[in-house]
Structure formats: C-alpha cells, structure tokens
C-alpha cells in the first residue's frame, strides 16, 4: 500500500527536501566526484550511532544571517542609459549556547544595508537616517540577478561576527555551527556547515539507500565531495521526524583542509550535539531541521532590520536627492 507523508514544514518555506514526484529524496544528481570510502569501505556502509564517550563541547556557537529586499531602483545616467539597483537590508548574529550551564544568549549581532547595482556613477544613498552603501556588481547588472549579490556582504558579516564572538568567549574547544553550506567560511576552525534542505543526490545508489534507514541520532559514514566548495560531508537524522524517508535528514559538512581523522571526529561531535537543538513541530513550521537557537536568532535579526515600509517610503522620498 502506498504511504503518504505530509512534510512537517509550513509550505511557505518550501520543502525539507527537493524531490521528484515520489517525494523520496533530493530531485537532481550532483556531477561532483564523491569518495565514499573515507571512513569505511563502500560495501560496509551502515548507520552509525553516537560512540561511547563521544565529546560534546561545553560551548556551541550558532551563526545565521537574514536578508530582505527593501526597494528596487533604477538610475538615469548622464549618457541616457539606465541601470537597475536593489536596496537591501541584511543582518547576521551569533548565539552562544553554554551546554554546561543550560543557557543561551545572543553573543553579537550586526545590521548592514547595501545598494547593489552596475551603475558606474551611483554613490551611497540615504533613506532618512539610514545609509545604503553602494556595492557595484560586475556585468550588465540585470535586475533579476541583483538579489544574489547580497549574499557576499552577508557572508562577510557572518565571518566577522563569528570571529568576534569567539574572541570574547571561546576556550578553543567549542563548536561553531553555520546555518547552510560552509562555502568560503571553511577557514573558520572547529566549524561545521548545516544544510537543512536536500536538493541534490551526492551518493551512489547503494550508499544513498542507507540515508532513509537512519534512525534519530544516527549518521552515515563520512564521504568526500570533490567540488570547488566541496569537502567532507555526512548525513544524520534528527529526532522528531514524521517518519517519511527523508524527514529530519540534514547534511553536515566541514572543511576539506581537515584530515580524514579530524572530519570523522567532527562527525561524531555533530551527532552528539545537533539533536539537542532540534525543534518541535508545535514550535516551528520547519521542525525538526530548523534548530531552536537558529529560529530564535532569525526572529531577532528580522526585528533588527527595521520596518520595511518605513524604509521604502524614505527611499522613495529621498531618491531624487540621492541620485
């Protein structure tokens, strides 16, 4: 009999996995070369539980960022040409969780504003007391591609505040969890990337078949993804899933600059740590993957961005002087 599962996530957030019609896993295959024999031989792949004596860090830092498009603008250049522009607000923050004391606090949070455009003449724009710093994009600067340009400054802000948070409260044995792929944050020490939504197949069929078999608190062996942004990776299942094959599954990754032994150690640490932060369906529409500290941080950061309507009105009012 065919079984039907309803994704626990609120549909406004998409789905926890981007699958085909069957809804049984990621929908497209990655072209990356993958080494599945990092931890065990390919034929010996099986779910792995938390080992006895696994180290759980006393302090865990979780970093995330949010962004918002405030207004679309257009320039009128002296030569009669026109360029699209995007006024955007973004913020990043770090939550410091002291597992020994059972306490969590906002360690640091900062807000940035930017005006993204290919215009060669446009400078910073003010909207009341708020300043949007110009960020020039390469190429023709099509309006549809400008939102992607916000990610660069947001990532740079996340790296900056992650270092600041650790400088003021780290003993060198902590763990930093980045919400999303590591990408150019992989130089951060003792850091893992936490990928909530599974969009691509990375594993051969025989090894991928292990993923739906994971029980809460289990992971796959570590494997290596051979791409520019690749590195060591593994899947694990969080508690509180709906029972669907890929429900509660997250992919975790760490820097390719680490040795295989260091990557395996981080995999063990992640399995002992991440389930502690899993959210519940009655608290979060993206449970269990949207970790509780991340959900609270996102709410706090969105509040720090200010009222989008007020900013839009201020941009419209002051645009003539700004341009």
């Amino acid at each position: 009999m065919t079984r039907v599962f309803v994704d626990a996530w609120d549909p406004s957030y998409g789905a926890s996995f981007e699958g085909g019609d069957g809804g049984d896993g990621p929908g497209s295959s990655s072209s990356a070369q993958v080494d599945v024999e990092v931890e065990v031989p390919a034929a010996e792949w099986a779910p792995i539980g938390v080992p006895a004596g696994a180290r759980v860090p006393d302090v865990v830092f979780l970093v995330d960022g949010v962004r918002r498009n405030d207004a679309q603008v257009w320039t009128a250049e002296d030569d009669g040409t026109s360029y699209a522009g995007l006024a955007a607000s973004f913020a990043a923050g770090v939550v410091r969780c002291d597992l020994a004391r059972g306490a969590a606090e906002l360690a640091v949070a900062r807000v940035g504003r930017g005006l993204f455009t290919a215009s060669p003449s446009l400078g910073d724009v003010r909207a009341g007391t708020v300043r949007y710093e110009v960020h020039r994009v390469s190429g023709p600067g099509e309006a549809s591609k400008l939102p992607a340009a916000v990610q660069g400054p947001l990532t740079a802000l996340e790296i900056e505040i992650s270092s600041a948070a650790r400088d003021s409260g780290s003993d060198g044995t902590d763990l930093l969890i980045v919400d999303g792929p590591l990408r150019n944050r992989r130089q951060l020490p003792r850091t893992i990337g936490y990928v909530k939504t599974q969009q691509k197949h990375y594993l051969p069929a025989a090894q991928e078949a292990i993923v739906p078999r994971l029980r809460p608190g289990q992971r796959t062996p570590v494997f290596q993804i051979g791409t520019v942004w690749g590195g060591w990776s593994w899947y694990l299942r969080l508690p509180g899933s709906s029972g669907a094959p890929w429900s509660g599954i997250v992919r975790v990754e760490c820097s390719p600059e680490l040795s295989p032994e260091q990557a395996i150690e981080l995999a063990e640490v992640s399995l002992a740590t991440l389930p502690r932060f899993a959210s519940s369906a009655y608290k979060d529409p993206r449970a269990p993957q949207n970790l509780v500290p991340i959900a609270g941080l996102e709410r706090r950061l969105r509040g720090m961005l200010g009222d989008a309507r007020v900013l839009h009105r201020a941009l419209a009012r002051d645009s003539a002087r700004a341009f």
Side-chain angles (χ1 to χ4, degrees), residues 36-177:
V36 299
E37 297 195 329
V38 175
E39 188 171 358
V40 298
E44 297 180 14
W45 264 53
I48 298 174
V50 180
R55 181 181 67 85
V56 178
D58 288 339
V59 175
V60 177
F61 294 97
L62 297 97
V63 59
D64 194 16
V66 299
R67 60 187 188 181
R68 185 187 66 203
N69 298 339
D70 292 338
Q72 182 75 47
V73 303
W74 294 90
T75 70
E77 307 291 326
D78 290 341
D79 61 2
T81 59
S82 180
Y83 292 89
L86 175 67
S89 296
F90 51 92
V94 179
V95 176
R96 183 182 187 275
C97 296
D98 189 329
L99 299 185
R101 295 193 299 115
E105 60 183 357
L106 181 65
V108 60
R110 294 176 187 167
V111 175
R113 320 264 185 194
L115 183 57
F116 300 84
T117 181
S119 167
S121 62
L122 185 63
D124 296 354
V125 172
R126 298 198 70 86
T129 59
V130 172
R131 180 172 68 89
Y132 288 84
E133 179 183 358
V134 68
H135 292 264
R136 285 187 222 290
V137 302
S138 58
E142 300 99 318
S144 61
K145 296 183 178 180
L146 292 178
V150 184
Q151 187 60 45
L154 175 55
T155 299
L157 185 59
E158 290 179 357
I159 294 173
E160 179 184 338
I161 64 171
S162 297
S163 299
R166 277 180 152 169
D167 289 344
S168 62
S170 172
D171 61 359
T173 62
D174 56 42
L175 177 68
L176 176 66
I177 301 172

Side-chain angles (χ1 to χ4, degrees), residues 29 34 36 42 45 201-213 246:
S29 296
V34 175
V36 299
W45 264 53
H201 295 275
Y202 288 102
L203 297 172
Q207 284 71 44
E208 186 171 281
I210 302 300
V211 179
R213 289 170 45 193
W246 283 70

Side-chain angles (χ1 to χ4, degrees), residues 227-247:
T227 63
V228 173
W229 295 119
W232 311 110
S233 191
W234 56 95
Y235 291 98
L236 64 80
R237 191 187 293 272
L238 298 171
S241 63
S242 67
W246 283 70
S247 175

